Amino acid sequence: MKQIEHIGVAVKDLDVSCSLYEKLLGTSCYKKEEVKSEGVNTAFFKTGVNKIELLAATSQDSPIAKFLERKGEGIHHISL
């Protein structure tokens, strides 16, 4: 393993979180997409070699919705 690919962060509201991360990181989201098979909308940020993926549920029964219900917003995964 040479580096972390990205860090996935579960969020309740993608638009609100994108605005916050843009301010915190000093950069804009470079990619948004819906992953229908996982019931999630994503937004990616890059600073240097580091990437952060925000994940917001598109339905109440998606894995991200269940994660948010149990643990709240925060780190969901680290992709190597």
Side-chain angles (χ1 to χ4, degrees):
M1 180 179 75
K2 295 185 180 189
Q3 73 180 49
I4 293 172
E5 205 305 304
H6 69 269
I7 298 172
V9 180
V11 299
K12 292 179 182 177
D13 186 310
L14 194 61
D15 292 330
V16 169
S17 295
C18 278
S19 182
L20 174 63
Y21 275 74
E22 285 175 352
K23 290 175 188 169
L24 290 173
L25 300 173
T27 188
S28 297
C29 166
Y30 72 88
K31 178 182 173 183
K32 286 186 178 181
E33 68 181 339
E34 180 179 6
V35 183
K36 289 185 181 188
S37 63
E38 296 296 321
V40 68
N41 283 324
T42 65
F44 284 89
F45 292 84
K46 187 169 185 174
T47 73
V49 298
N50 304 302
K51 290 189 279 186
I52 295 175
E53 175 189 28
L54 303 182
L55 306 140
T58 58
S59 68
Q60 295 289 346
D61 62 343
S62 75
I64 294 300
K66 292 174 184 175
F67 177 90
L68 287 167
E69 190 176 296
R70 285 189 323 271
K71 299 186 182 226
E73 293 183 300
I75 294 176
H76 177 262
H77 67 270
I78 298 174
S79 179
L80 305 175

